[in-house]
Amino acid sequence: MKVSRWCYLGALFIYILSFISSFSIGLYLLFGAVILLLFGLAISFKLLSKDMSLFILIGVSIVICAVSTVSWYLLVHNVDDYYIFYPFTFLV
């Protein structure tokens, strides 16, 4: 499988774990899902590849980590948990 698919599957797995543990550490686990999702998108759009130099890879990775931290913070503090875990509302 491609690396980006592994990132997407990892993000989905961590998202499900985040829902299961939503009463204790679920919102903190959501950060892992966001960062894996953004790394998967970066690999899919060829922003990260094996042919790049090390400095460009590190720079892009730092930008992805910063963007994922900001987006996770805004998501956790401004969006209700009902909407964060909306796909699981159909199970109730």
Side-chain angles (χ1 to χ4, degrees), residues 34-69:
V34 171
I35 199 164
L36 277 176
L37 180 67
L38 289 179
F39 269 111
L41 286 172
I43 292 170
S44 294
F45 290 130
K46 305 285 191 258
L47 294 175
L48 292 174
S49 66
K50 293 180 182 179
D51 301 334
M52 295 179 155
S53 71
L54 182 64
F55 293 113
I56 294 174
L57 287 173
I58 291 173
V60 172
S61 298
I62 289 172
V63 168
I64 289 172
C65 289
V67 168
S68 63
T69 303

